[in-house]
Amino acid sequence: MAAVGFDVWGVVPAVELSDAKRRFEQWLAGGNAYRLDYLERNIHKRFDPQALHPGTRSVIVGAVGYKNHLSEGYEAGFDCRVASYALSRDYHDSLREMLRQAAQMLGFTEPKSVKVCVDSAPLAEKSLARLAGIGWIGRNSLIINPRLGSFMVLGELLVPEECDEYSEPYGESGCVGCGRCLLRCPTGAINPQGGINTTLCISNRTVERASEEPFDTRGWLFGCDECQSCCPHNASAPHYRNPRFEPTFSPLDYDSEFWANLTPEEAESRFGTTPLMRRFKK
Ligand code: SF4
Ligand code: SF4
């Protein structure tokens, strides 16, 4: 996995994740999934890799750090902010390529024998990442690795072989005694008991479902890094190592007038390879 650009990885047996499924259903029942109807479909597949891709015996989980110069935050008053993961080439494309390369290198040459997952398939990737020993699930609901922090993207490779030795799950939480992200979240979207209320989450409202209802995004145009930039585990995390995550533009070069007048054609020519295009394709 290192040879194809992953920073951290682990391998998990393909078994049902019953505890994580129960917590997810409680979260859904609490009305926390704003217009995310797709989350209510295929719940059994999300928490059972064998149901998602029959024949799966193991799941290889890989993580890549993308922290860059804007991950630590913007100057106060700058109101055209873009989440730092969206400054580079779309991670879905990068991780899919890397996982396909990994499958080849591991000898899985029959494409249908494996499944590559990067957000697009229903799969409980954060629960799997914890079981793969990559990190703990923080109060900001993100996987936090003790070295890389939370500015990471995750991808999974479902394979039809058992592994001689599986990873040790990450057992501890580095959130004990902290709560900075709860205090920092501009909209109070982080539930003190755990989980995010996506109705209030700026990231969800600007990325997953740009709402037609009025919503104050607190200066964020796309995504939101507030609950990450304040996290002490990100303070000493290194910047990206994988060149695929080099930023291709800087939001600091653009003001609100630019964004207000931006045509889809110009957006495509300037930002066409980045996740930001989701904003223009709705
Ligand atoms: S800011 Fe503190 S509570 Fe929030 S995710 Fe980071 S360590 Fe955990
Ligand atoms: S992404 Fe922003 S709005 Fe959403 S929980 Fe984190 S700090 Fe709050």
Side-chain angles (χ1 to χ4, degrees):
M1 294 289 274
V4 300
F6 284 99
D7 291 315
V8 210
W9 62 91
V11 191
V12 180
V15 295
E16 193 174 358
L17 310 170
S18 313
D19 288 350
K21 181 168 176 250
R22 182 177 39 76
R23 285 194 297 272
F24 181 76
E25 287 172 333
Q26 285 171 350
W27 177 80
L28 279 179
N32 289 295
Y34 174 80
R35 293 193 178 179
L36 298 176
D37 306 343
Y38 68 91
L39 291 176
E40 296 185 11
R41 296 191 288 271
N42 296 313
I43 292 178
H44 67 294
K45 290 185 182 175
R46 184 176 295 280
F47 293 93
D48 184 355
Q50 293 195 46
L52 179 64
H53 189 63
T56 298
R57 293 286 172 270
S58 304
V59 182
I60 303 171
V61 187
V64 193
Y66 66 82
K67 183 177 171 184
N68 59 45
H69 66 295
L70 286 176
S71 300
E72 280 157 16
Y74 290 81
E75 284 195 10
F78 185 75
D79 61 358
C80 298
R81 285 173 264 164
V82 176
S84 54
Y85 81 89
L87 308 189
S88 54
R89 182 175 179 244
D90 194 326
Y91 71 92
H92 296 88
D93 298 333
S94 296
L95 288 190
R96 271 191 213 108
E97 287 170 7
M98 290 160 59
L99 289 164
R100 286 190 191 116
Q101 284 176 12
Q104 288 286 323
M105 291 175 76
L106 291 166
F108 298 109
T109 51
E110 168 52 49
K112 288 191 177 159
S113 71
V114 299
K115 185 171 179 65
V116 165
C117 298
V118 185
D119 266 0
S120 49
L123 188 63
E125 61 174 15
K126 286 182 273 189
S127 298
L128 288 166
R130 190 191 70 75
L131 292 173
I134 289 175
W136 73 93
I137 300 176
R139 296 182 81 176
N140 58 6
S141 97
L142 299 167
I143 279 284
I144 304 178
N145 174 270
R147 184 174 68 84
L148 294 176
S150 66
F151 287 109
M152 298 187 298
V153 282
L154 302 170
E156 301 79 35
L157 188 62
L158 278 54
V159 301
E161 301 281 342
E162 290 185 2
C163 188
D164 292 340
E165 195 175 342
Y166 287 104
S167 305
E168 279 292 316
Y170 203 96
E172 297 164 20
S173 168
C175 289
V176 176
C178 184
R180 288 193 202 184
C181 53
L182 275 87
L183 296 172
R184 177 73 165 268
C185 176
T187 55
I190 303 176
N191 294 322
Q193 296 77 23
I196 304 284
N197 179 342
T198 61
T199 306
L200 298 174
C201 177
I202 295 167
S203 187
N204 178 54
R205 299 292 288 259
T206 57
V207 178
E208 295 290 340
R209 289 285 183 275
S211 175
E212 290 165 9
E213 299 159 26
F215 184 73
D216 182 356
T217 66
R218 314 307 207 263
W220 287 95
L221 287 177
F222 186 86
C224 167
D225 279 342
E226 301 280 357
C227 56
Q228 297 196 79
S229 56
C230 69
C231 177
H233 298 285
N234 283 325
S236 58
H239 280 198
Y240 66 94
R241 177 187 69 93
N242 185 323
R244 292 176 196 262
F245 293 85
E246 183 172 352
T248 60
F249 74 99
S250 172
L252 300 177
D253 294 337
Y254 303 107
D255 58 16
S256 51
E257 191 181 342
F258 167 84
W259 293 108
N261 295 310
L262 185 63
T263 63
E265 294 73 27
E266 192 178 358
E268 177 68 39
S269 79
R270 286 179 186 262
F271 313 118
T273 61
T274 73
L276 190 56
M277 286 311 293
R278 290 179 69 169
R279 182 182 168 88
F280 301 100
K281 287 182 177 165
K282 291 200 164 74

